[in-house]
Protein backbone atom coordinates (compact mmCIF):
# COMPACT_ATOMS: atom_id res chain seq x y z
CA UNK A 1 0.00 0.00 0.00
CA UNK A 2 1.25 3.46 -0.95
CA UNK A 3 1.53 5.89 1.97
CA UNK A 4 3.66 8.74 0.68
CA UNK A 5 2.50 11.62 -1.55
CA UNK A 6 5.58 11.21 -3.75
CA UNK A 7 4.47 7.63 -4.50
CA UNK A 8 0.98 8.69 -5.64
CA UNK A 9 1.50 8.87 -9.40
CA UNK A 10 -1.12 8.39 -12.12
CA UNK A 11 0.32 4.90 -12.70
CA UNK A 12 -0.59 3.66 -9.21
CA UNK A 13 -3.56 1.27 -9.21
CA UNK A 14 -6.45 1.98 -6.86
CA UNK A 15 -5.76 -1.14 -4.84
CA UNK A 16 -2.30 0.18 -4.03
CA UNK A 17 -3.37 3.49 -2.45
CA UNK A 18 -4.59 4.19 1.07
CA UNK A 19 -8.35 4.19 1.81
CA UNK A 20 -9.67 7.59 0.76
CA UNK A 21 -6.24 8.36 -0.70
CA UNK A 22 -5.20 9.65 2.73
CA UNK A 23 -1.61 10.79 3.06
CA UNK A 24 0.09 10.33 6.41
CA UNK A 25 3.06 12.67 6.20
CA UNK A 26 3.78 16.38 6.43
CA UNK A 27 5.28 18.78 3.91
CA UNK A 28 3.59 17.17 0.93
CA UNK A 29 3.15 20.47 -0.90
CA UNK A 30 6.76 20.05 -2.03
CA UNK A 31 5.87 17.08 -4.19
CA UNK A 32 2.31 17.84 -5.31
CA UNK A 33 1.40 20.48 -7.89
CA UNK A 34 -1.38 22.15 -5.95
CA UNK A 35 -1.39 25.07 -8.40
CA UNK A 36 -3.46 23.23 -10.98
CA UNK A 37 -6.58 23.50 -8.80
CA UNK A 38 -6.50 27.27 -8.97
CA UNK A 39 -9.26 29.46 -10.42
CA UNK A 40 -7.93 32.73 -8.99
CA UNK A 41 -4.32 33.80 -8.64
CA UNK A 42 -2.50 36.48 -6.67
CA UNK A 43 -0.55 39.13 -8.54
CA UNK A 44 2.13 41.17 -6.80
CA UNK A 45 2.48 44.90 -7.37
CA UNK A 46 6.17 45.30 -6.61
CA UNK A 47 5.83 49.09 -6.40
CA UNK A 48 3.36 48.82 -3.53
CA UNK A 49 5.18 46.00 -1.73
CA UNK A 50 7.13 47.25 1.30
CA UNK A 51 8.72 43.88 2.07
CA UNK A 52 7.05 43.65 5.48
CA UNK A 53 6.85 39.86 4.95
CA UNK A 54 3.44 39.50 6.58
CA UNK A 55 2.21 37.52 3.58
CA UNK A 56 4.87 34.82 3.46
CA UNK A 57 4.17 32.95 6.73
CA UNK A 58 0.40 32.82 6.18
CA UNK A 59 0.66 31.08 2.82
CA UNK A 60 -0.31 27.43 3.35
CA UNK A 61 1.50 26.27 0.21
CA UNK A 62 5.03 27.68 0.33
CA UNK A 63 4.19 29.87 -2.65
CA UNK A 64 5.89 33.04 -1.44
CA UNK A 65 9.64 32.52 -1.50
CA UNK A 66 11.75 34.62 0.86
CA UNK A 67 15.45 35.11 0.24
CA UNK A 68 17.84 37.46 2.02
CA UNK A 69 14.95 38.96 3.96
CA UNK A 70 12.90 39.82 0.89
CA UNK A 71 9.96 38.11 -0.72
CA UNK A 72 10.11 37.07 -4.35
CA UNK A 73 7.34 36.63 -6.87
CA UNK A 74 4.73 33.91 -6.38
CA UNK A 75 5.51 30.30 -7.06
CA UNK A 76 2.47 29.38 -9.11
CA UNK A 77 3.37 25.70 -9.17
CA UNK A 78 2.14 25.47 -5.57
CA UNK A 79 -0.20 28.46 -5.18
CA UNK A 80 -3.83 27.35 -5.07
CA UNK A 81 -5.27 30.85 -5.14
CA UNK A 82 -6.80 30.86 -1.67
CA UNK A 83 -6.31 34.63 -1.31
CA UNK A 84 -5.00 34.51 2.27
CA UNK A 85 -1.90 36.49 1.28
CA UNK A 86 -3.99 39.20 -0.35
CA UNK A 87 -6.04 39.54 2.84
CA UNK A 88 -2.90 39.64 4.98
CA UNK A 89 -1.14 42.36 2.98
CA UNK A 90 -1.71 45.73 4.71
CA UNK A 91 -0.48 47.72 1.71
CA UNK A 92 -2.73 46.42 -1.06
CA UNK A 93 0.23 45.00 -2.94
CA UNK A 94 -1.49 41.72 -3.80
CA UNK A 95 -4.51 41.54 -6.09
CA UNK A 96 -6.48 38.37 -6.80
CA UNK A 97 -7.34 37.97 -10.47
CA UNK A 98 -9.07 35.28 -12.48
CA UNK A 99 -6.57 32.65 -13.59
CA UNK A 100 -7.12 32.03 -17.29
CA UNK A 101 -5.54 28.75 -18.33
S1 LIG B 1 -3.19 32.76 -2.86
FE1 LIG B 1 -2.94 31.34 -1.10
S2 LIG B 1 -1.61 29.72 -1.86
FE2 LIG B 1 -1.39 31.45 -3.28
S3 LIG B 1 0.36 32.63 -2.54
FE3 LIG B 1 -1.49 33.52 -1.61
S4 LIG B 1 -1.70 32.48 0.39
FE4 LIG B 1 -0.29 31.26 -0.88
S1 LIG C 1 2.38 41.62 2.95
FE1 LIG C 1 2.25 42.93 1.15
S2 LIG C 1 3.76 44.56 1.49
FE2 LIG C 1 4.23 42.89 2.92
S3 LIG C 1 5.77 41.64 1.80
FE3 LIG C 1 3.76 40.76 1.37
S4 LIG C 1 3.12 41.73 -0.56
FE4 LIG C 1 4.78 42.95 0.29
Amino acid sequence: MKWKASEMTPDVKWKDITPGCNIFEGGTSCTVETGDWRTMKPVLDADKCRQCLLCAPVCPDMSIPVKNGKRGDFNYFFCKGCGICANACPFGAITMVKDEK
Side-chain angles (χ1 to χ4, degrees):
M1 190 170 281
K2 302 289 184 186
W3 298 97
K4 292 187 174 179
S6 58
E7 296 173 334
M8 301 285 193
T9 68
D11 300 326
V12 176
K13 301 287 184 268
W14 70 268
K15 287 182 179 174
D16 293 328
I17 63 175
T18 58
C21 204
N22 287 328
I23 294 171
F24 300 93
E25 61 180 328
T28 55
S29 291
C30 296
T31 53
V32 178
E33 183 182 1
T34 48
D36 65 354
W37 311 349
R38 193 177 52 236
T39 56
M40 300 290 286
K41 73 174 184 181
V43 175
L44 177 68
D45 183 337
D47 292 334
K48 288 185 181 174
C49 177
R50 299 193 196 175
Q51 294 295 345
C52 67
L53 296 185
L54 288 174
C55 56
V58 299
C59 174
D61 272 318
M62 301 183 346
S63 303
I64 304 177
V66 176
K67 194 172 179 185
N68 298 325
K70 291 191 171 186
R71 65 153 293 168
D73 202 357
F74 293 102
N75 182 337
Y76 292 116
F77 185 82
F78 296 127
C79 169
K80 66 167 76 87
C82 65
I84 294 173
C85 57
N87 278 295
C89 178
F91 302 109
I94 302 172
T95 305
M96 298 301 295
V97 301
K98 194 171 178 185
D99 191 11
E100 310 280 0
K101 292 193 172 83

